[in-house]
Amino acid sequence: MPTINAIILAAGEGSRMKSNTPKVLQQLSDKTLLRHVIDAALPLGANLNIVIGHGAELVKNAIENQGVNWVIQKEQLGTGHAVQQVMPDIDDDSVCLILYGDVPFIQSATLSALLSKAIETGFALLSVVLANPFGYGRIKRNAEGQIVAIVEQKDANKSELEINEINTGIMAVKASLLRGYLDNLKPNNSQGELYLTDIVEMANANNVTISSCICDHAAEVMGINDKNQLAELERLVQQKQVDEFMANGLGVKDPARFDCRGTLSFGKDCVIDINVVFEGDNELGDNVTISPNCIIKNSKIGDNSEIKANSMIEDSTIGSNTAIGPFARLRPESHIGNNAKIGNFVEVKKSTIGNTSKVSHLSYVGDSALGEGVNVGAGVITCNYDGVNKHQTIIKDGAFIGSNTQLIAPVTIGKNATIGAGSTINRDAPDEKLTLSRNKQATLSGWKRPTKK
Ligand code: UD1
Ligand code: CA
């Protein structure tokens, strides 16, 4: 196997995005466009050479990869000129794989097939047949079906414009051949640029057979130039992914209203209702139900648990047979046990909630450790922050916290302790006892309501 040099062109401005972010850093599903291209090239064992220009520093900083050879193209004088900038760093006996930072959905398997052909013949091109080929370079073939040239939209005559097979731009070429052709490029075209596509005609004149791969899926080679195309491809990516999930048994009420920006693993009989968004890496056990409008990020949910509508869960774990929501918020590092309940309008942060414990209504639980069988009444809050430091609240097994209690941390509530409703607790409460802090109730007999004058 020769060395593979992926050359990713990413120097263009992408002005049609009308964005302060360079085009190749726009987000598709869970990654930037450029990251998608890199991740398609990496399984091939390719060296990465990335040509940058517009927003070069931003692009470089956004990609965490020590191994990239970043090459600056100061002026964007065409795709051929862009590849020329990399050639001093390329070994003659390697194979170059030309990729585009704005063609993000290309799949490794397609590239691998293209490379095999290039290793055989020296030159392989990826094309696709489109009903509407407008804007793309057209593939010209001779009577024997051999590729002889690529004609750009702006340079094509009437009959050439009718060709439906177009150049995806993606090609694999032996470096020694590529170098020779690039040295001879001339800006003889309507845009005055050095076109990479002109090397096809040169190879043909040189009697090098140009093999072709015709890509079956137009989405794979779709170029992204504006927000419309970005949204269109996002839907295609999501649809492909949810089709695979459903084929593997995930229940999805409406695949058009399901988004997973990352990875998702799931057991049997899970059901996802509409408008659920998964981000990062998530894991569902068997028989997990997720009701509408939930956002779930980097979390793990155990068997038979139910996430009710409008809940948000982030960097957390949930045991089995547990109910969350509706309208619950689990902030990072929340760990909820089995057979537990987090009810409506409850916020939990960096806390563990033991098995069978319940926090059912309108509470804030932060920096806390709750044991098993704890019952937290409505409107209980942990006062975990003194304005500078965060403090711990510990509630031991079987404790019962009466409604509307404030637990001023650091504080420990003992095993099977009961806290009377409406208490402000700032000292530890012992095991098994009732503790309360409450002003004596009074009734003033002589009092009269003020009246308007
Ligand atoms: C190019 C092809 C066309 C093909 C189409 C597929 C050429 C001459 N034409 O046209 O046949 O159908 O892609 O999408 O190659 N870039 C640089 N430096 C430059 C110019 C471009 O890095 O000087 C980068 C751009 O950022 C972009 C890519 O190369 O990622 C393609 O350039 P673009 O100008 O969009 O080429 P097209 O006109 O779309
Ligand atoms: Ca383009």
Side-chain angles (χ1 to χ4, degrees):
M1 260 301 267
T3 304
I4 310 297
N5 269 301
I7 300 175
I8 305 176
L9 306 190
E13 186 180 8
S15 54
R16 278 174 285 171
M17 279 289 169
K18 301 201 175 6
S19 168
N20 291 328
T21 304
K23 176 162 80 169
V24 295
L25 296 186
Q26 298 288 331
Q27 203 75 16
L28 176 73
S29 186
D30 59 331
K31 293 184 274 196
T32 61
L33 301 185
L34 181 55
R35 189 76 236 180
H36 281 277
V37 181
I38 291 171
D39 288 348
L42 284 177
L44 309 165
N47 296 332
L48 295 177
N49 304 274
I50 307 183
V51 184
I52 47 177
H54 277 281
E57 280 310 303
L58 288 172
V59 175
K60 235 165 125 169
N61 292 337
I63 303 295
E64 287 166 29
N65 195 315
Q66 302 299 312
V68 174
N69 176 31
W70 296 102
V71 179
I72 305 280
Q73 183 193 24
K74 285 207 192 80
E75 273 184 290
Q76 279 68 58
L77 304 177
T79 48
H81 180 258
V83 179
Q84 278 177 352
Q85 310 311 303
V86 184
M87 292 318 283
D89 304 335
I90 303 287
D91 251 9
D92 255 350
D93 39 82
S94 67
V95 173
C96 294
L97 174 66
I98 314 288
L99 298 167
Y100 296 80
D102 63 350
V103 181
F105 202 40
I106 187 71
Q107 304 292 303
S108 298
T110 306
L111 295 178
S112 170
L114 190 74
L115 276 170
S116 306
K117 290 205 171 172
I119 290 166
E120 261 171 55
T121 65
F123 200 139
L125 196 73
L126 186 67
S127 68
V128 68
V129 176
L130 296 181
N132 175 15
F134 181 84
Y136 290 99
R138 309 298 204 280
I139 305 277
K140 284 185 78 174
R141 292 179 184 261
N142 63 16
E144 286 78 49
Q146 294 290 331
I147 296 176
V148 292
I150 294 173
V151 191
E152 292 304 302
Q153 170 84 29
K154 288 177 182 151
D155 305 297
N157 64 34
K158 228 179 159 187
S159 69
E160 288 164 341
L161 287 176
E162 278 164 19
I163 300 171
N164 286 97
E165 186 185 8
I166 64 99
N167 173 33
T168 64
I170 294 170
M171 55 178 92
V173 189
K174 275 191 180 152
S176 51
L177 292 178
L178 181 62
R179 193 187 312 278
Y181 302 147
L182 288 172
D183 289 344
N184 290 309
L185 285 181
K186 305 248 155 31
N188 296 332
N189 51 62
S190 60
Q191 302 188 83
E193 289 185 355
L194 295 179
Y195 283 175
L196 177 63
T197 44
D198 286 351
I199 72 171
V200 169
E201 222 170 325
M202 294 180 188
N204 198 55
N206 206 13
N207 286 323
V208 170
T209 307
I210 298 163
S211 9
S212 69
C213 282
I214 302 178
C215 189
D216 295 330
H217 307 287
E220 251 195 69
V221 292
M222 190 175 159
I224 304 303
N225 298 307
D226 57 31
K227 299 272 166 69
N228 257 298
Q229 290 168 329
L230 188 62
E232 190 184 337
L233 187 57
E234 179 75 36
R235 288 329 310 160
L236 293 170
V237 169
Q238 290 298 339
Q239 196 190 328
K240 179 172 183 260
Q241 182 176 246
V242 75
D243 285 350
E244 282 165 20
F245 289 158
M246 291 188 296
N248 288 319
L250 185 67
V252 177
K253 292 278 187 191
D254 181 0
R257 286 178 289 174
F258 171 94
D259 287 81
C260 176
R261 301 167 194 151
T263 66
L264 177 67
S265 71
F266 46 86
K268 292 209 159 65
D269 301 311
C270 292
V271 178
I272 315 295
D273 213 319
I274 60 167
N275 296 331
V276 170
V277 178
F278 289 100
E279 292 178 15
D281 302 315
N282 290 291
E283 207 181 313
L284 311 180
D286 287 337
N287 203 32
V288 172
T289 306
I290 301 183
S291 295
N293 308 322
C294 292
I295 301 173
I296 299 173
K297 189 171 177 180
N298 297 319
S299 293
K300 193 174 160 177
I301 302 173
D303 297 347
N304 310 314
S305 285
E306 188 183 356
I307 312 300
K308 296 182 186 175
N310 303 301
S311 295
M312 197 164 165
I313 297 170
E314 194 177 349
D315 298 313
S316 292
T317 61
I318 295 162
S320 50
N321 303 300
T322 284
I324 307 290
F327 296 98
R329 180 169 183 212
L330 303 189
R331 289 168 56 201
E333 293 179 62
S334 295
H335 303 289
I336 318 297
N338 305 326
N339 301 294
K341 181 183 173 192
I342 301 296
N344 43 203
F345 308 106
V346 172
E347 175 181 345
V348 180
K349 188 216 77 170
K350 206 175 185 177
S351 294
T352 54
I353 311 287
N355 298 336
T356 72
S357 289
K358 292 187 169 69
V359 186
S360 296
H361 332 267
L362 298 153
S363 287
Y364 172 60
V365 177
D367 302 297
S368 301
L370 275 62
E372 303 200 347
V374 169
N375 193 313
V376 175
V380 170
I381 60 169
T382 55
C383 309
N384 58 326
Y385 186 50
D386 60 15
V388 181
N389 299 301
K390 304 267 164 68
H391 301 281
Q392 273 269 314
T393 299
I394 295 169
I395 305 178
K396 296 195 172 162
D397 294 351
F400 179 100
I401 315 296
S403 293
N404 197 30
T405 289
Q406 301 103 58
L407 299 167
I408 302 178
V411 70
T412 298
I413 308 300
K415 200 169 170 186
N416 295 322
T418 301
I419 305 297
S423 295
T424 299
I425 300 295
N426 61 352
R427 279 176 291 139
D428 292 353
D431 294 353
E432 312 285 343
K433 300 243 162 61
L434 170 67
T435 301
L436 73 171
S437 79
R438 199 182 280 168
N439 288 332
K440 234 188 183 152
Q441 183 166 322
T443 302
L444 306 185
S445 47
W447 182 85
K448 284 222 165 58
R449 254 190 220 174
T451 49
K452 262 194 185 143
K453 279 179 192 139

